[in-house]
Amino acid sequence: KQMSRLLIAASRDQMAPVIAELYRHNLFHIEEYVDAGAEGYEGFKIGTPLSGASEKSADLIKIRAITNAVSLSADDVDKKPSCSMDELQTKIERELPLLEREVEELTVRRSKLDAREKELEQKITELTPFADIPVDLNLYHGYKRFTAIAGYLSREVVLNVPHEMHVSKREGKNFIVVVYPTERRSEVEKTLQEGGFQSVPIPGESGSARGRIEFYAGEIAALKTDILEISTKLEDVKKKHASFLVACEELLKAEVDQTEAPLRFATTKQTFVAEGWVPTDQVTAVTN
């Protein structure tokens, strides 16, 4: 469309009603004022948000946190308005805090369960190489005169020191656990290094590795059930409140835009100036 440049200048106490009128028409494309000493703008500064901007922004952040938690997008709901703006504003004040608390409690619980699941999966990963070694894990610890080490060898080696060794095949390599006199550490380390030794930590647990893996697998299965239950509750929240949440986000975004519009104006203590563009055939509608 053919566009016309429009400059609006008024007293600062008229800023809020002017902004409201401009947004009601939804035609004025604001051109941002750059505070760089532009000619004719000596003494002007970038404006500050209208009253209530921080509260509106905080509510918008809450809404977006909720929609992210329940994986909601605007495409998921019917665009038809379900209530008036005043009714929606009332619902925001009354229902948003309760909804935020409910979703936050569910997401915090799910995050803790997810973290615990990852922790147990890591334990299983650490235990798996020891699954085929027929020695209880507690026998690898608690010695003063002996040291236990574990890891992978790419080549076979012969240890010329007193030792006990257990070997299993894993990932095309020999996985070994060796217990040897601590005083012979340097000899053992040198020999193992020649065999391409890659050490792994020995789990600080007791009992058989297989038994511990089965135990942790059972815990993970229970966690997955709890996580699924929480995800189902969040999905129920999404289905129940989807239209409300999308409408809230649209309303609050528009209100935040309005309250932050002065950040694109040139202002003094007494006046403000806004520059921008409107369709030429709508100039009269905007200015009258």
Side-chain angles (χ1 to χ4, degrees), residues 224-242:
K224 286 185 180 295
T225 299
D226 292 341
I227 292 170
L228 179 60
E229 180 181 342
I230 292 173
S231 296
T232 300
K233 289 181 179 179
L234 287 171
E235 183 64 23
D236 291 340
V237 170
K238 175 181 176 179
K239 292 177 181 177
K240 182 178 179 181
H241 300 285

Side-chain angles (χ1 to χ4, degrees), residues 6 21-22 24-28 278-288:
L6 185 65
E21 185 67 11
L22 290 173
R24 184 178 71 84
H25 287 286
N26 196 29
L27 294 170
F28 186 52
V278 295
T280 301
D281 59 0
Q282 296 292 326
V283 170
T284 302
V286 174
T287 56
N288 287 346

Side-chain angles (χ1 to χ4, degrees), residues 35-84:
D35 187 9
E39 185 177 352
Y41 284 92
E42 294 81 3
F44 282 83
K45 298 292 183 183
I46 294 173
T48 56
L50 298 177
S51 174
S54 59
E55 291 82 359
K56 299 292 184 186
S57 295
D59 284 343
L60 183 58
I61 290 172
K62 292 175 185 177
I63 287 290
R64 286 176 172 168
I66 294 171
T67 57
N68 287 336
V70 300
S71 301
L72 174 66
S73 71
D75 296 332
D76 296 328
V77 301
D78 187 349
K79 301 295 184 184
K80 295 179 181 178
S82 57
C83 60
S84 69

Side-chain angles (χ1 to χ4, degrees), residues 2-284:
Q2 179 69 35
M3 304 292 284
S4 295
R5 190 171 183 80
L6 185 65
L7 183 146
I8 300 171
S11 61
R12 191 152 182 163
D13 60 0
Q14 294 299 307
M15 186 184 293
V18 167
I19 290 173
E21 185 67 11
L22 290 173
Y23 273 83
R24 184 178 71 84
H25 287 286
N26 196 29
L27 294 170
F28 186 52
H29 177 75
I30 303 173
E31 189 172 279
E32 293 195 20
Y33 167 67
V34 179
D35 187 9
E39 185 177 352
Y41 284 92
E42 294 81 3
F44 282 83
K45 298 292 183 183
I46 294 173
T48 56
L50 298 177
S51 174
S54 59
E55 291 82 359
K56 299 292 184 186
S57 295
D59 284 343
L60 183 58
I61 290 172
K62 292 175 185 177
I63 287 290
R64 286 176 172 168
I66 294 171
T67 57
N68 287 336
V70 300
S71 301
L72 174 66
S73 71
D75 296 332
D76 296 328
V77 301
D78 187 349
K79 301 295 184 184
K80 295 179 181 178
S82 57
C83 60
S84 69
M85 296 286 250
D86 289 341
E87 290 173 331
L88 182 57
Q89 192 66 58
T90 300
K91 289 184 70 176
I92 290 175
E93 295 172 1
R94 185 179 65 247
E95 298 180 19
L96 181 58
L98 298 175
L99 190 55
E100 179 192 18
R101 191 177 306 117
E102 179 184 3
V103 171
E104 183 179 13
E105 288 175 356
L106 289 170
T107 53
V108 167
R109 281 178 55 201
R110 186 171 64 179
S111 294
K112 289 181 178 179
L113 293 174
D114 285 337
R116 178 58 178 167
E117 182 183 3
K118 288 182 174 60
E119 179 184 332
L120 296 180
E121 287 174 345
Q122 180 60 33
K123 286 181 178 290
I124 289 177
T125 298
E126 294 171 357
L127 285 163
T128 298
F130 296 85
D132 296 327
I133 304 296
V135 178
D136 280 1
L137 295 166
N138 54 292
L139 296 179
Y140 299 139
H141 306 281
Y143 303 112
K144 292 183 178 179
R145 296 174 51 205
F146 297 94
T147 297
I149 59 172
Y152 292 94
L153 277 175
S154 55
R155 302 182 293 279
E156 292 187 8
V157 297
V158 176
L159 288 176
N160 295 315
V161 301
H163 67 277
E164 180 179 336
M165 180 184 294
H166 298 276
V167 183
S168 69
K169 277 284 187 182
R170 283 203 168 266
E171 301 174 1
K173 296 181 180 180
N174 288 323
F175 178 77
I176 66 168
V177 178
V178 182
V179 179
Y180 62 90
T182 302
E183 62 186 22
R184 310 292 291 272
R185 179 192 301 273
S186 60
E187 298 171 62
V188 172
E189 289 181 347
K190 180 180 179 181
T191 302
L192 292 178
Q193 188 176 21
E194 292 172 353
F197 182 69
Q198 295 176 306
S199 67
V200 300
I202 297 177
E205 306 205 28
S206 60
S208 72
R210 285 187 181 277
R212 299 308 296 165
I213 290 171
E214 291 174 3
F215 173 76
Y216 290 137
E219 283 202 350
I220 288 174
L223 289 171
K224 286 185 180 295
T225 299
D226 292 341
I227 292 170
L228 179 60
E229 180 181 342
I230 292 173
S231 296
T232 300
K233 289 181 179 179
L234 287 171
E235 183 64 23
D236 291 340
V237 170
K238 175 181 176 179
K239 292 177 181 177
K240 182 178 179 181
H241 300 285
S243 296
F244 168 65
L245 289 170
V246 170
C248 283
E249 182 169 2
E250 291 178 352
L251 173 63
L252 289 170
K253 186 179 184 303
E255 291 181 341
V256 168
D257 285 344
Q258 289 189 45
T259 58
E260 293 183 349
L263 293 171
R264 291 174 282 172
F265 295 171
T267 65
T268 67
K269 290 183 179 180
Q270 292 80 30
T271 63
F272 77 93
V273 175
E275 291 190 68
W277 300 85
V278 295
T280 301
D281 59 0
Q282 296 292 326
V283 170
T284 302

